[in-house]
Amino acid sequence: MTRTFNFSAGPSTLPEAVLLQAQQEMLDWQGSGMSVMEMSHRGKQFMSIAAELESNLRALMNIPKNYRVLFLQGGASAQFSFIPQNLLGSKTKACYVKTGTWSKKAFKDAKPYCEALVSASSKHSYFTTIPKVATWEIESTAAYLHYVSNETIHGVEFNATPDVQGLPLVCDMSSNILSRPIDVSEFGLIYAGSQKNMGAAGVTVVIVREDLLGQCSKNVPPVFNYEEQANNQSMLNTPTTYSWYLMGLVLKWLQSQGGLEVMEQRNIAKSAKLYQVIDASALYRNSVEIASRSRMNVPFILTNEALETEFLTAAEAAGLNELKGHRLVGGMRASIYNAMPESGVDALISFMQEFERTH
Ligand SMILES: *Cc1c(COP(=O)(O)O)cnc(C)c1O
């Protein structure tokens, strides 16, 4: 068996310890005689997996009691449409900050349901910056302000939670949740798909402040009504049970590593050394302003574009996979989430330096 270093943006690499435990428990979960995949979601075994999943997420992220934690389907993409429908209530406006592809998509998908206002945009810099919060146009009658804490495609990340003058803050954390400690109480709603930094594809975590529930539009299917799902332990329909279980294993792995403070230190170290090599090189370039560079997704181009295919082929031969950038922006991208070990980043750096030396 050979495992490569997998730099995919999502679905992405998982901790090897998690995969091994899943393998061990595949046929018989903890003496139950069943695979988790075969269990009734109402049975006592799966109920214990579900309860532990929520309590471990609450502990890791220090989620206050007045927040509900939902495990839904449809990905972050479905929430782009269901957030306005759940949160607008009697209001008509919502604020959006555009910092890249995902926040543009969230804005576009909200438009059928509300008067979506652009509070700020970094389009002028080709999404290589984060507009200064002091310049944002915040509409005080809006139901919420939406932003994306890490733009997975452009490699742009907020390094602090913006202060939005009391509006409920709604954040798509799909690609940097659990990568650093955050103060959940600063947010109205946090959401994230599982397949980048929390596990396999199939679960969308929604963490929502209780007082924002209860104003969902009547047109929303009950399975996407946050209050209904909160009242039914996210089991209004059959959940993606195996994905819940895998997320539970990832959370336990995070705890065993020392939690989010330790993750943050590792993520700073891993990303800093990769950016350093890119900045010191004549062949590689990252054009994101330094203060807004992502610790999770590191896009870079080859200044000699003609070498791209050769770079990717040679990288694969060296056991470094999925380095091709997103089709919208081209170039390369190394996604280095929690589960990417430092040895993977070291291997990538050695490869890049050797490639530059020989070309
Ligand atoms: C991947 C991603 C999404 C889309 O996730 P789906 O699960 O495919 O809906 C949304 N937002 C961000 C920031 C992402 O990285």
Side-chain angles (χ1 to χ4, degrees):
M1 185 198 69
T2 320
R3 280 181 59 77
T4 59
F5 288 119
N6 169 11
F7 295 92
S8 168
S12 48
T13 196
L14 286 162
E16 205 161 278
V18 164
L19 294 175
L20 285 169
Q21 189 176 346
Q23 179 185 44
Q24 266 171 15
E25 296 178 338
M26 177 60 78
L27 297 184
D28 175 10
W29 181 80
Q30 299 190 3
S32 65
M34 290 180 274
S35 169
V36 174
M37 271 183 267
E38 303 168 307
M39 290 173 182
S40 162
H41 60 297
R42 312 269 181 214
K44 69 173 190 306
Q45 286 104 345
F46 190 76
M47 290 305 258
S48 77
I49 290 172
E52 210 180 350
L53 171 64
E54 179 170 344
S55 68
N56 285 343
L57 188 64
R58 283 185 175 279
L60 266 174
M61 293 183 70
N62 199 13
I63 300 174
K65 285 210 170 53
N66 63 325
Y67 284 73
R68 306 299 294 267
V69 180
L70 312 178
F71 300 95
L72 306 179
Q73 294 178 49
S77 300
Q79 309 314 317
F80 293 163
S81 306
F82 289 117
I83 283 166
Q85 296 181 82
N86 271 272
L87 299 189
L88 275 177
S90 58
K91 302 206 160 123
T92 56
K93 295 174 183 164
C95 291
Y96 281 78
V97 175
K98 291 185 179 180
T99 51
T101 301
W102 290 114
S103 47
K104 282 198 291 180
K105 205 155 181 298
F107 170 78
K108 179 170 159 280
D109 290 356
K111 271 181 134 174
Y113 308 103
C114 62
E115 193 184 325
L117 309 169
V118 182
S119 287
S121 168
S122 52
K123 187 172 178 212
H124 58 89
S125 76
Y126 302 99
F127 302 113
T128 58
T129 55
I130 304 262
K132 296 255 172 308
V133 182
T135 68
W136 293 9
E137 290 173 33
I138 298 173
E139 168 57 47
S140 62
T141 64
Y144 59 85
L145 183 141
H146 179 281
Y147 79 109
V148 177
S149 53
N150 183 64
E151 288 281 0
T152 322
I153 294 171
H154 292 87
V156 173
E157 184 171 11
F158 279 75
N159 52 35
T161 304
D163 177 357
V164 293
Q165 302 163 23
L167 277 192
L169 193 54
V170 173
C171 185
D172 177 356
M173 286 191 194
S174 290
S175 51
N176 71 349
I177 193 166
L178 304 177
S179 69
R180 58 168 85 194
I182 54 153
D183 180 355
V184 173
S185 74
E186 293 179 305
F187 295 87
L189 186 148
I190 291 167
Y191 66 109
S194 51
Q195 73 273 23
K196 274 125 191 183
N197 216 11
M198 294 193 285
V203 198
T204 315
V205 169
V206 174
I207 303 166
V208 56
R209 212 174 63 209
E210 238 160 29
D211 63 283
L212 298 175
L213 296 174
Q215 42 187 355
C216 185
S217 155
K218 298 280 175 288
N219 299 326
V220 172
V223 294
F224 288 112
N225 178 319
Y226 299 154
E227 188 182 31
E228 296 236 20
Q229 285 286 24
N231 291 340
N232 288 277
Q233 289 78 48
S234 307
M235 290 199 193
L236 216 49
N237 61 314
T238 310
T240 50
T241 49
Y242 200 73
S243 295
W244 287 33
Y245 157 74
L246 282 176
M247 187 186 288
L249 295 186
V250 170
L251 298 188
K252 279 183 223 171
W253 175 80
L254 285 173
Q255 275 162 341
S256 75
Q257 300 298 299
L260 303 192
E261 285 83 6
V262 171
M263 280 303 133
E264 175 169 43
Q265 290 317 310
R266 284 189 200 168
N267 290 328
I268 290 172
K270 285 188 294 179
S271 57
K273 60 164 102 167
L274 185 49
Y275 283 117
Q276 201 169 20
V277 166
I278 291 170
D279 289 343
S281 132
L283 179 60
Y284 311 111
R285 187 192 306 152
N286 170 289
S287 31
V288 176
E289 72 172 349
I290 289 174
S292 307
R293 282 176 166 179
S294 170
R295 295 174 187 166
M296 299 280 99
N297 311 96
V298 180
F300 58 94
I301 56 158
L302 269 58
T303 50
N304 178 358
E305 236 177 88
L307 289 174
E308 279 190 4
T309 309
E310 195 183 337
F311 178 90
L312 288 168
T313 310
E316 264 189 45
L320 306 166
N321 284 26
E322 306 277 356
L323 284 164
K324 196 172 166 52
H326 193 278
R327 63 195 146 78
L328 286 178
V329 294
M332 311 294 152
R333 174 176 50 173
S335 295
I336 49 173
Y337 300 115
N338 288 342
M340 174 57 67
E342 189 157 1
S343 56
V345 175
D346 291 340
L348 174 61
I349 286 174
S350 301
F351 169 80
M352 288 169 69
Q353 290 175 326
E354 182 60 13
F355 187 87
E356 181 166 12
R357 197 183 63 76
T358 53
H359 291 78

